[in-house]
């Protein structure tokens, strides 16, 4: 248990600098009697006298001279903490713990993190990439400060803030028979039912959104293969192993390079949301509030 207070140290430094409790009282906005009492309490707590009286002046003794630089240093650190959290300073060096679903962590967050690092160099970020279910579990267990997920959360006690809107597109290899078929007319539901689908694992936000969008129209979506990475799926599709439904933000570079083709279909346009996820009632620290703001200001897709 601590027996010292910052206020006592502040009064001690004021007396040391002014040479009397009367002058120090004006500096610390206390009465002379309260200033003297605080100084006596400090000496009692330390078990040592800190001043010698020389006429009307209080002069530091050897113990007081030893304490003064340490007390000044502690007060300076306390002021730095106050300034950091007042919004007037650059902030304390802190670490934010984030978890993001695979697509967001790999394709959306990197430029956000780069911009945030430039504007808040005192804040370090630890990023965990997992599927949406695992991100939500980490947020719920308070293992991370913020989650960034695809779709919505089904977990109780969560606050979900819509962030971006992304499009889901059906892709195939340029040499796939469905690509040749689509030259004449959009591919219909019957042909899509017979295709070899490459899908994400259960628990993935992309898998959930794909099933939500396609099952009402195709009635079945058998997986020829299940992979734990959307990027791996895109690469396998480019090799002609099947077709898939993936985020446009992920596949567009491969489409631009001619390795993938967006398959025209008779299905309606498919969209899904990216969201910011935190445990209900969690208060934002200044660093976390700044990161959320950086996310909201950055929009590689359409803002919700």
């Amino acid at each position: 248990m601590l027996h010292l207070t910052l206020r006592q140290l502040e009064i001690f430094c004021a007396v040391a600098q002014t040479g009397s409790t009367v002058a120090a009282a004006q500096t610390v906005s206390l009465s002379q009697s309260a200033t003297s009492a605080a100084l006596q309490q400090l000496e009692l707590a330390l078990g040592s006298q800190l001043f010698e009286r020389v006429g009307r002046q209080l002069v530091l003794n050897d113990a007081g001279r030893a304490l003064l630089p340490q007390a000044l240093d502690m007060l300076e650190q306390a002021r730095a903490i106050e300034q950091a959290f007042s919004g007037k300073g650059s902030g304390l060096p802190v670490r934010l713990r984030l978890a993001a679903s695979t697509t967001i962590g790999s394709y959306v967050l990197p430029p956000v993190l780069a911009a945030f690092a430039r504007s808040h160099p005192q804040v370090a970020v630890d990023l965990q990439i997992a599927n949406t279910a695992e991100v939500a579990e980490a947020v719920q267990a308070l293992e991370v400060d913020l989650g960034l997920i695809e779709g919505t959360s089904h977990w109780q006690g969560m606050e979900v803030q819509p962030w971006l809107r992304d499009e889901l597109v059906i892709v195939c290899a340029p040499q796939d028979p469905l690509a040749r078929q689509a030259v004449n007319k959009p591919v219909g539901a019957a042909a899509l039912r017979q295709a070899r689908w490459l899908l994400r694992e259960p628990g993935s936000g992309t898998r959930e959104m794909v099933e939500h969008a396609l099952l009402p129209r195709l009635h079945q979506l058998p997986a020829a293969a299940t992979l734990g990475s959307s990027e791996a799926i895109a690469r396998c599709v480019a090799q002609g192993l099947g077709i898939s439904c993936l985020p446009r933000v992920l596949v567009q570079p491969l489409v631009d390079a001619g390795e993938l083709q967006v398959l025209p279909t008779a299905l309606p346009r498919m969209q899904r949301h990216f969201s910011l996820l935190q445990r209900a009632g969690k208060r934002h620290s200044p660093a976390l509030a700044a990161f959320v703001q950086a996310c909201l200001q950055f929009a590689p897709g359409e803002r919700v």
Side-chain angles (χ1 to χ4, degrees):
M1 180 178 178
L2 291 175
H3 299 286
L4 306 181
T5 68
L6 287 173
R7 186 60 164 161
Q8 289 171 344
L9 294 176
E10 182 182 29
I11 291 168
F12 160 73
C13 291
V15 174
Q17 292 164 347
T18 62
S20 73
T21 55
V22 174
Q26 296 177 348
T27 302
V28 297
S29 302
L30 287 177
S31 67
Q32 189 275 335
S33 60
T35 302
S36 295
L39 183 58
Q40 290 172 6
Q41 291 170 0
L42 176 61
E43 291 180 327
L44 181 64
L46 294 174
S48 177
Q49 186 176 336
L50 301 172
F51 293 90
E52 299 289 346
R53 182 171 290 280
V54 180
R56 294 185 177 182
Q57 291 292 106
L58 290 174
V59 180
L60 289 170
N61 60 18
D62 57 340
R65 290 193 300 271
L67 175 62
L68 182 60
Q70 298 182 60
L72 289 171
D73 186 55
M74 291 186 68
L75 292 174
E76 182 62 28
Q77 291 184 51
R79 292 188 188 99
I81 292 172
E82 285 186 343
Q83 184 181 37
F85 283 93
S86 70
K88 299 178 182 179
S90 60
L92 290 173
V94 296
R95 301 192 77 86
L96 285 180
R97 300 170 302 168
L98 308 176
S101 55
T102 307
T103 298
I104 295 176
S106 300
Y107 296 94
V108 181
L109 267 188
V112 178
L113 293 173
F116 186 71
R118 290 191 294 269
S119 61
H120 293 76
Q122 78 283 1
V123 181
V125 175
D126 294 330
L127 176 61
Q128 168 188 344
I129 296 180
N131 67 35
T132 294
E134 292 166 339
V135 170
E137 290 168 2
V139 171
Q140 192 171 49
L142 291 177
E143 295 172 358
V144 296
D145 301 306
L146 184 73
L148 301 98
I149 63 170
E150 303 153 38
T152 58
S153 168
H154 309 295
W155 286 261
Q156 297 295 320
M158 296 289 195
E159 292 179 1
V160 181
Q161 181 175 0
W163 178 25
L164 299 174
R165 184 181 294 116
D166 184 41
E167 184 182 10
L168 291 169
V169 293
I170 297 177
V171 291
C172 65
Q175 68 274 17
D176 192 286
L178 287 178
R180 293 193 294 271
Q181 179 181 333
V183 172
N184 298 318
K185 65 176 182 178
V187 177
L192 292 175
R193 290 191 197 101
Q194 302 303 315
R196 289 177 50 84
W197 285 91
L198 309 183
L199 301 176
R200 284 290 303 274
E201 80 286 0
S204 159
T206 297
R207 171 70 175 264
E208 180 181 355
M209 289 297 101
V210 167
E211 290 180 342
H212 178 76
L214 295 183
L215 281 177
R217 297 171 177 85
L218 302 184
H219 308 300
Q220 63 181 26
L221 197 63
T226 300
L227 292 84
S229 162
S230 295
E231 181 172 338
I233 290 176
R235 296 293 180 184
C236 288
V237 171
Q239 295 298 316
L241 297 181
I243 69 172
S244 190
C245 184
L246 294 169
R248 181 176 285 277
V249 68
L250 185 156
V251 302
Q252 192 60 51
L254 294 175
V255 172
D256 294 341
E259 298 180 48
L260 285 179
Q261 180 174 318
V262 176
L263 193 62
T265 74
L267 303 179
R269 186 181 182 190
M270 296 175 285
Q271 293 184 326
R272 51 98 176 259
H273 292 161
F274 296 155
S275 303
L276 308 181
L277 181 67
Q278 68 175 36
R279 186 162 173 166
K282 177 178 173 60
R283 299 180 64 180
H284 282 186
S285 68
L288 182 56
F291 182 78
V292 169
Q293 188 60 32
C295 289
L296 295 179
Q297 290 174 346
F298 182 82
E302 300 178 49
R303 281 289 304 278
V304 176

